[in-house]
Amino acid sequence: MKRLKLNKLCWGKILCTLFLVFCMAPMVHGQLLDTLLLAEPSLEDLLAINITTASRSPEAHDLAPATIYVITAQDIQRNGYMELGDILENIPGITVVSPDFFQFGGQRGFVGNFSQTILMINGREVQNLVASETFISHQFATHNIKQVEIINGPGSALYGANALVGVINIITKNSSDDFNGTDIQMEMGSESTWAASIIFGQQYGDLKLSGSIRLYQSDEWDFSDFVSDTTHFSEGFDPRARGVIDETNRYVNQTMAIPLSLYLEYKNLYFGHESYYNKANKGIERVALDFNGQRDFRKFELTFAGLQQELGNHDLNVEYQHFKEWMWGVNYRFKDSLMDTLLAHNPGRDPMAQLTQTEIHSYFMDVYSQENSEGSSRDRIDANLTSTFAGSYNTIAGLSFERLDILSIAHAADDLYPYNDQRRATSESDKFALFLQMKKSLLDNKIHLTLGGRYDHHSAYGGIATVRSGLVCQPFEKTFIKGLFGQAFREPNIFELDGNTELTPAKINTYEFSVNHHLNSNIKSNIVLYRSDAYDLIAPSTSFVFVNDPDVRSAMGLEGMVYIKYNRFFSDIGFDFTQVEAETFAGEKYDALGIYPFKLTTGINYRFYNLLNVNTRLNYFPSIVAKHGNSDLDEVVDIASFTKLDINLSVQEYDFDIYSVSLNAKISNALDGTFYHPNVRRGGPKYFLQPGRQYMLKLSIFY
Amino acid sequence: MVIRYLKYLSLIIIFVQALPAQAQEERQSELKAYYLYTFSSYATWEDGVSDTIFTIGVLGETDLLQPLQRIAAEKTVNAKPLVIKYWETVDEIESCQILFIAHSMRKNLKMITEKIADQQILTVGDSKGFARQGVCLNFFIEGEHLRFEINRKAIEQQDIYVSSQLLKLGKII
């Protein structure tokens, strides 16, 4: 702890010294051209690099007042990323844990179910309404991604609640001004996986019309052997709670996802729609009695309409957003109370005998449903005013009002379609927010200062203010130094607030110092040193009662990326070191339970004959100690280190007169290694086995 | 410490408001110059093109000349040296692969297109309406972005093949 405090005291001194030193630096013209000559962007990159996440306005990557990683469509194609999860696992500072249902994980040592990260599409929040979780299953595929901007660090001063440790912003192709044409994609792979997508964009005078739809279906990896494994999967569970996998009760995880996007723009008015339907059998998330019978459905809709108006030096954007969400599904989990009912109905039955399929379906079916109801909804109005003064002084001011109406979930034990439109006492809430950010560039663009603040007021938990500030300097032609401070909060969700008016938002203060350096035209690197102090984290005290953790949880670390380019060779190397405060668990003190202290991700790409890209991607995770996934056991488990190798062959946009063709052939986990992810959310299996070798082919035709 | 740091930043922001504005136009010129260089990768000149050098011509008064010369000092096009030539009048135009037509030449557009007809020159303009008047590519500003529009007919008339990528990324008129 002493070391952490010393670092905290140093921040202010470091930043002030940097400012004074670099104010004296000579002015250099042609900085943009220098950057372009070094980076050698493609035409698409010139149009595409549009950093909107870090400060809600476009700016160069190196100058953004945040630690931001941008993955472009070219990176996606080169690496053969198929879904958002593939991208995230290759970003420094991000941990992705996959139970083959939806992604768990988090950023910079704060891991769980991604509820501390805000997920957006084109700057619009798409967290699920019911629990404010970043629900990433198969609905966020890469087919329509122009770029993904990932911020490691707090974002509440701009985006409000839940941007506690980071922001993921997906910029879609069809929403972009420069997408004109039609892109048809087809994918096929192992586990009977297939997908078909179409993206289109067309300009008719002042009218722009674009959209995208995708249909994805897969049987997913067969974990039959794993879920039958009482040592690695269901250790510590009542023997009767383990589903028996046999001819009549197979492990099934059939998934389907249909994301849809529509966008219409006429002059300064626009209208859009983002939605998805997602279905899964829940994979290996829980120890279930019937893996075939359990399932989960999600339906999410966001419809928006807005006005973008130039008013001299000001740009005004007013937007209305309407969200709808439904979730429903079936669980088959062992409960003592249900077992008691079974025994009461069947006197003389051996209480320890294995459950039959008939008994499982008669007594252990737990349906949760909003399917036949109005669903949950949220209405939001955002207004932003972006202003430029004297060419280099920018401000963004905005306000936001939203009303959230969460529908409670109907439960049934004997009806697959229960109906319930009841609302919880806390189901309705209002939020109001004001924010202001100022940014000034000076000394011929050598210094960039950002200062912003936001005030949010929630009808349940009251008001909270957050600030962000950044000082970005370019002391030398090829060097960018950033000193950042930001605050953020995560609001308690409807389940956590239920009957608990004392609960307050979790808060975090984050300090960052980073250096982006272009060593020469072939090597570029960025390194970030950070420290975060989280207060009032929301944690369960019992199964259904949540409290604010009185302890301050701190994490600090170092993360970075190095890009190397030489002729037709290209490589990116990402790494992070994470140190979290020691935790006492089961009477022992552990340095980092379930947190990888180190991660290395590297991609090596070679382009043959200016046509074929061969890409190998290596991810190394060291061995860790994690909490046992079974929350009834106060035990830790050792998870061995692993190295995952992915290989991707791709042909990028080969021209045939009026159309171009792209092709991808990917082998995931090419060495067919066996490795596990920690169960960071607990309440389920010991840990999560990951799929073995898988194949995927993708064909894309653009015309 | 945090409050002190924020106070310090606030003072700096107030202080620096009086400092001179950045050269936005210079940034735009640099970006346009880099676009011109990048266009060379998205077009193919079938024949009659010099085997030894790649030439970008600049016609009329413009700020692009200096950044273009910097690019030429560092870059090549298909392993050929990149040469930048500047002409003040239409009569001076010589052989080149890309011709940038400055805003100041807007009254001479017809004369320019007639002079370079069938010479396999990819013309690039910088003014509203240039593309509709027969210039192959033309820059325009949209929001915070520099975009370009494409006159496919003009490109076909110049007998230049441009990739579908270029057509995809520009605004076709």
Side-chain angles (χ1 to χ4, degrees), chain A residues 180 203 205, chain B residues 140 142 148-151 167 169-173:
Chain A
N180 298 303
Q203 189 87 35
Chain B
F140 67 101
E142 191 174 73
F148 61 93
E149 49 192 7
I150 302 171
N151 182 333
L167 298 175
L169 298 171
K171 180 181 179 182
I172 294 171
I173 60 154

Side-chain angles (χ1 to χ4, degrees), chain A residues 210-230:
Chain A
S210 67
S212 159
I213 188 165
R214 171 184 164 94
L215 176 60
Y216 167 90
Q217 215 165 17
S218 177
D219 287 348
E220 304 299 337
W221 187 257
D222 184 355
F223 284 109
S224 294
D225 292 339
F226 181 57
V227 298
S228 304
D229 186 333
T230 56

Side-chain angles (χ1 to χ4, degrees), chain A residues 271-530:
Chain A
F271 168 86
H273 178 84
E274 301 283 349
S275 63
Y276 65 74
Y277 167 84
N278 197 87
K279 178 231 163 194
N281 282 72
K282 299 192 173 203
I284 51 176
E285 185 209 7
R286 301 280 179 167
V287 174
L289 291 166
D290 182 355
F291 289 95
N292 185 358
Q294 67 169 358
R295 60 199 58 194
D296 180 85
F297 300 83
R298 309 279 172 122
K299 205 163 81 168
F300 179 91
E301 295 174 359
L302 161 62
T303 307
F304 56 91
L307 163 78
Q308 186 90 39
Q309 181 70 48
E310 273 188 40
L311 305 164
N313 290 332
H314 312 281
D315 280 327
L316 175 68
N317 179 217
V318 181
E319 183 171 298
Y320 167 70
Q321 300 171 357
H322 179 66
F323 300 77
K324 290 288 285 184
E325 180 187 80
W326 298 262
M327 63 181 290
W328 67 97
V330 188
N331 285 323
Y332 287 98
R333 289 181 201 146
F334 183 84
K335 288 181 184 169
D336 286 328
S337 57
L338 298 175
M339 190 67 205
D340 291 344
T341 308
L342 186 155
L343 292 174
H345 289 178
N346 299 278
R349 185 196 183 280
D350 177 3
M352 296 313 293
Q354 190 68 45
L355 293 164
T356 65
Q357 286 298 303
T358 308
E359 288 172 333
I360 288 170
H361 292 125
S362 301
Y363 290 93
F364 293 90
M365 184 172 84
D366 176 18
V367 176
Y368 55 96
S369 183
Q370 295 177 328
E371 186 181 8
N372 303 306
S373 69
E374 289 177 15
S376 301
S377 67
R378 175 163 64 193
D379 294 281
R380 174 187 278 176
I381 295 173
D382 282 333
N384 299 327
L385 184 70
T386 307
S387 307
T388 305
F389 302 102
S392 65
Y393 184 50
N394 301 300
T395 64
I396 304 167
L399 55 90
S400 175
F401 175 78
E402 74 169 53
R403 171 159 289 180
L404 181 65
D405 188 3
I406 300 288
L407 181 73
S408 63
I409 295 169
H411 285 273
D414 54 358
D415 179 5
L416 276 172
Y417 306 101
Y419 177 80
N420 185 0
D421 255 349
Q422 285 181 2
R423 278 159 164 73
R424 290 163 186 262
T426 52
S427 69
E428 286 186 7
S429 60
D430 295 334
K431 250 196 314 191
F432 176 74
L434 284 166
F435 69 88
L436 174 68
Q437 178 181 276
M438 297 173 287
K439 188 177 173 192
K440 173 74 182 172
S441 302
L442 60 136
L443 296 183
D444 197 23
N445 260 353
K446 294 194 73 66
I447 306 273
H448 303 265
L449 297 167
T450 304
L451 185 63
R454 177 170 169 133
Y455 177 77
D456 287 82
H457 187 272
H458 191 282
S459 56
Y461 59 75
I464 183 165
T466 48
V467 299
R468 80 189 291 246
S469 57
L471 176 65
V472 183
C473 305
Q474 191 181 1
F476 310 108
E477 196 178 345
K478 300 166 187 173
T479 306
F480 303 83
I481 297 175
K482 301 180 186 183
L484 311 168
F485 169 73
Q487 296 177 313
F489 70 100
R490 176 175 99 69
E491 62 187 12
N493 65 33
I494 193 91
F495 301 114
E496 293 159 349
L497 276 173
D498 201 11
N500 188 2
T501 53
E502 300 298 313
L503 207 58
T504 62
K507 297 170 265 305
I508 201 166
N509 290 339
T510 298
Y511 311 83
E512 296 173 79
F513 177 75
S514 76
V515 179
N516 292 15
H517 182 62
H518 301 245
L519 191 63
N520 53 43
S521 58
N522 293 322
I523 300 176
K524 180 186 168 188
S525 66
N526 68 283
I527 295 174
V528 186
L529 180 67
Y530 69 87

Side-chain angles (χ1 to χ4, degrees), chain A residues 577-618:
Chain A
F577 298 87
T578 308
Q579 182 189 333
V580 296
E581 278 189 66
E583 182 181 355
T584 302
F585 180 73
E588 297 279 334
K589 202 166 187 179
Y590 296 95
D591 281 340
L593 278 176
I595 307 291
Y596 291 103
F598 169 67
K599 185 177 110 174
L600 177 69
T601 171
T602 178
I604 301 168
N605 191 85
Y606 192 82
R607 191 169 174 84
F608 289 93
Y609 306 112
N610 220 21
L611 176 72
L612 176 68
N613 279 297
V614 177
N615 184 281
T616 56
R617 183 124 222 129
L618 269 171

Side-chain angles (χ1 to χ4, degrees), chain A residues 250-262:
Chain A
R250 296 181 302 121
Y251 172 86
V252 173
N253 189 20
Q254 286 180 334
T255 59
M256 177 189 275
I258 309 175
L260 170 73
S261 174
L262 288 171

